[in-house]
Amino acid sequence: SEQKQAAYILRQWRARHFHPSASGQKACRSGRYSEWPSRPVHSGHDPGRCLSGTKMKTKSDRLLALEILQSLIQGNGTLSSQLRNAATQFPEANLPLIQEYTYGVCRWFHRLEAILARLIDKPLRKKDLDIHCLLLLGLYQLYYMRTPDHAAINETVAMTRRLGKDWSSKLVNAVLRNAQRKQESFDTETAAPSMAGYSHPDWMIKSLQVDWPDYWEDILIKNNIHAPMTLRVNKRRLDRELYLAQLVN
C-alpha cells in the first residue's frame, strides 16, 4: 500500500541521515525521533529540579512537561532521556500525559512556532524561555488535544503563577484567547506547503525532496501521524479470540 511504501522509504532515509555520531548523539529534527534537537548533549541536567534549580518533592505533570521542553530547546539531552529521568525522579507522575504534552509539542513544533509568531509582537527574552514553552504547550492543547478550550487556557495561565512570573499571566491569557478566535484562519495560513505546513525544518524538507522526489510530501505527512495502537495477547495466559470478545463487550 502507499502507506507501507512511505513508511519503508522513511526508514531507509532515516538510516542514511540519522545515525549516532562519535559522541553518541543523534542529529534529529525537533522531537521527530525522540531525539531533539541536533545540539551538543550536556550531562547533569535533572528534570527533577524546577526551573529555578530548587529540588521539589512533587510536581504537576504540566510543570514536568514544561521543564522537559525547555531543557530540550536549550540542548540538554534528548526527549527519551528526559522522560526516563522524569519517570525515575517522579514515579507518581502521569507519564503518558507528560509524553502526550512533550511529544505533541515536538511533533508540531514548527507549526506552533509559526502560529505563536503571529500572536506576539516581539519575541520573548531568553530568560523567559519558560513562558515561551508554556505558550507552545497551551497552543498544543487548544489545537490538538481534547481539553476544553476554557480549561486549557485557565490551566496555562495558572502555570505562570506557579513559575513565579505573575506579570506574564495577562500576556498568556491574551495570546491563547486570540489563538482560540483565530484558529480557523491559522489553519488555512499554515496549511500551505512550508516549514510550518509540514511542521518539519527546511533542511529536512529539502533533503527529502532531493532523495525522494516522488514521495517526499507523502513522507512528511505520514511522519506526523500517530502510530496505530497495537495490543499483543499473552497466549500463555489468555486466548486471543476470548480477549477480542472481551474488548467487544
Side-chain angles (χ1 to χ4, degrees), residues 72-246:
L72 292 173
I73 291 178
Q74 291 173 329
N76 295 318
T78 66
L79 181 51
S80 295
S81 65
Q82 293 283 352
L83 287 169
R84 284 195 299 269
N85 291 339
T88 301
Q89 292 287 335
F90 298 92
E92 76 286 356
N94 186 346
L95 189 61
L97 180 59
I98 295 172
Q99 286 183 242
E100 174 63 29
Y101 285 152
T102 53
Y103 272 95
V105 172
C106 291
R107 179 180 294 109
W108 297 106
F109 178 77
H110 295 285
R111 182 172 186 265
L112 295 174
E113 282 276 89
I115 292 172
L116 183 57
R118 290 168 167 80
L119 292 167
I120 56 178
D121 295 331
K122 57 182 179 180
L124 294 168
R125 297 169 296 183
K126 288 185 178 180
K127 67 178 183 178
D128 295 321
L129 179 59
D130 51 354
I131 301 301
H132 183 92
C133 292
L134 182 61
L135 286 167
L136 293 178
L137 182 54
L139 288 172
Y140 176 69
Q141 279 196 278
L142 279 176
Y143 286 9
Y144 293 102
M145 294 185 69
R146 290 177 291 182
T147 308
D149 288 355
H150 70 276
I153 294 173
N154 291 341
E155 290 171 6
T156 305
V157 171
M159 276 299 302
T160 62
R161 303 182 182 91
R162 184 80 183 271
L163 296 171
K165 294 190 173 181
D166 294 22
W167 61 267
S168 65
S169 61
K170 291 183 179 180
L171 170 67
V172 171
N173 184 64
V175 167
L176 294 183
R177 292 195 181 280
N178 200 15
Q180 181 186 20
R181 289 191 295 269
K182 296 182 178 180
Q183 181 172 355
E184 187 174 343
S185 63
F186 285 150
D187 286 343
T188 302
E189 290 177 23
T190 57
S194 64
M195 186 168 71
Y198 295 120
S199 200
H200 284 66
D202 277 336
W203 66 264
M204 179 177 282
I205 295 174
K206 293 176 181 177
S207 180
L208 286 170
Q209 287 173 334
V210 171
D211 292 345
W212 304 99
D214 296 328
Y215 302 102
W216 66 271
E217 188 171 26
D218 195 36
I219 292 172
L220 293 173
I221 294 172
K222 295 292 194 302
N223 207 26
N224 281 330
I225 297 176
H226 276 283
M229 181 178 178
T230 303
L231 296 176
R232 297 183 65 184
V233 177
N234 186 347
K235 293 186 177 180
R236 294 180 180 180
R237 306 185 65 175
L238 184 65
D239 181 78
R240 179 176 178 273
E241 283 67 30
L242 179 61
Y243 186 64
L244 286 172
Q246 291 179 1

Side-chain angles (χ1 to χ4, degrees), residues 1-116:
S1 67
E2 292 184 2
Q3 186 172 359
K4 289 184 178 179
Q5 185 178 30
Y8 171 77
I9 292 172
L10 182 57
R11 288 197 299 272
Q12 295 295 314
W13 187 84
R14 286 176 181 172
R16 294 210 310 274
H17 292 271
F18 297 97
H19 53 82
S21 65
S23 63
Q25 76 179 54
K26 294 181 180 179
C28 301
R29 122 173 161 79
S30 302
R32 185 57 47 188
Y33 314 117
S34 313
E35 315 288 344
W36 167 5
S38 54
R39 300 187 183 184
V41 176
H42 306 296
S43 61
H45 174 71
D46 180 4
R49 295 182 181 275
C50 65
L51 300 180
S52 62
T54 303
K55 193 73 175 182
M56 298 179 68
K57 293 183 179 179
T58 59
K59 289 186 180 179
S60 69
D61 301 319
R62 183 185 292 269
L63 181 57
L64 282 170
L66 181 61
E67 291 178 357
I68 290 173
L69 291 172
Q70 183 176 355
S71 296
L72 292 173
I73 291 178
Q74 291 173 329
N76 295 318
T78 66
L79 181 51
S80 295
S81 65
Q82 293 283 352
L83 287 169
R84 284 195 299 269
N85 291 339
T88 301
Q89 292 287 335
F90 298 92
E92 76 286 356
N94 186 346
L95 189 61
L97 180 59
I98 295 172
Q99 286 183 242
E100 174 63 29
Y101 285 152
T102 53
Y103 272 95
V105 172
C106 291
R107 179 180 294 109
W108 297 106
F109 178 77
H110 295 285
R111 182 172 186 265
L112 295 174
E113 282 276 89
I115 292 172
L116 183 57

